[in-house]
Amino acid sequence: MKEKVQKLGRALSAMVMPNISIFIAWGLITALFIPDGWFPNPTLNEIVTPMQRFLLPLLIAYSGGKMIYDHRGGIIGACFAIGIIAGTETPMFIGAMIAGPLGGYLMKKVDQILDGHVPNGFEMLVNNFSAGILGALLAVIGCLLIEPACVALTSALSSGVGFLVNHGLLPLT
């Protein structure tokens, strides 16, 4: 059990670590330009929310998909994630960590199914259409199914943390 938890932790950190520089960039922009920041600026403050809501989760999803199936897995993971992200105002880091690897895995499986069945000269066409169709399907599934589940999970986790804090069990959070 311990090994499985450690393996999951390594996989999750492998999605985040390549993007640490962008988390730092977001943090610096936030610290500098939000209304309570060091140099409040309403125009530059407009960068903060889109980076948190879109850029960071999409980069995590891309990295997760790329771990599974290189660039094609990454782009499908990001496409899957945008469906999850679009349905809510909340940053969907959990959704991105689900969508990236799952999207990469599904793209890999589709390519394995099509391998050897595509006539010569049609590879680029079939590859682009198969990825486009899968990406569209996953974005819709992400918006209609995965996003509500992630919102419910986030809400439950938030309630659990709130309960621990309210009952003086801060070390357990």
Side-chain angles (χ1 to χ4, degrees):
M1 177 68 167
K2 183 179 176 182
E3 289 178 29
K4 288 184 181 188
V5 171
Q6 288 175 336
K7 186 176 179 181
L8 176 64
R10 280 191 295 274
L12 295 175
S13 69
M15 285 186 265
V16 174
M17 290 308 291
N19 302 301
I20 288 295
S21 59
I22 306 307
F23 277 91
I24 292 170
W26 172 77
L28 288 171
I29 291 168
T30 301
L32 292 171
F33 304 121
I34 62 171
D36 294 333
W38 296 332
F39 307 105
N41 184 308
T43 302
L44 296 176
N45 181 43
E46 294 298 316
I47 300 170
V48 173
T49 300
M51 282 183 82
Q52 181 186 31
R53 185 166 169 225
F54 297 106
L55 181 62
L56 295 172
L58 286 174
L59 288 172
I60 288 170
Y62 178 84
S63 297
K66 188 173 184 195
M67 283 184 339
I68 304 298
Y69 194 52
D70 204 35
H71 181 71
R72 282 175 65 79
I75 61 171
I76 297 303
C79 190
F80 192 2
I82 199 68
I84 297 168
I85 294 166
T88 183
E89 296 294 317
T90 308
M92 275 291 135
F93 293 104
I94 292 173
M97 289 181 167
I98 294 168
L102 183 56
Y105 174 78
L106 292 172
M107 187 73 255
K108 184 177 185 177
K109 288 299 169 189
V110 166
D111 282 354
Q112 287 174 347
I113 290 167
L114 294 175
D115 190 34
H117 298 289
V118 179
N120 289 337
F122 288 95
E123 295 91 352
M124 185 182 295
L125 182 68
V126 171
N127 285 342
N128 283 319
F129 270 94
S130 65
I133 292 166
L134 179 62
L137 287 171
L138 291 177
V140 169
I141 289 168
C143 190
L144 298 178
L145 298 175
I146 307 298
E147 181 269 333
C150 287
V151 168
L153 176 63
T154 302
S155 178
L157 292 172
S158 177
S159 295
V161 169
F163 174 83
L164 294 172
V165 169
N166 292 336
H167 287 84
L169 302 170
L170 201 55
L172 296 177
T173 61

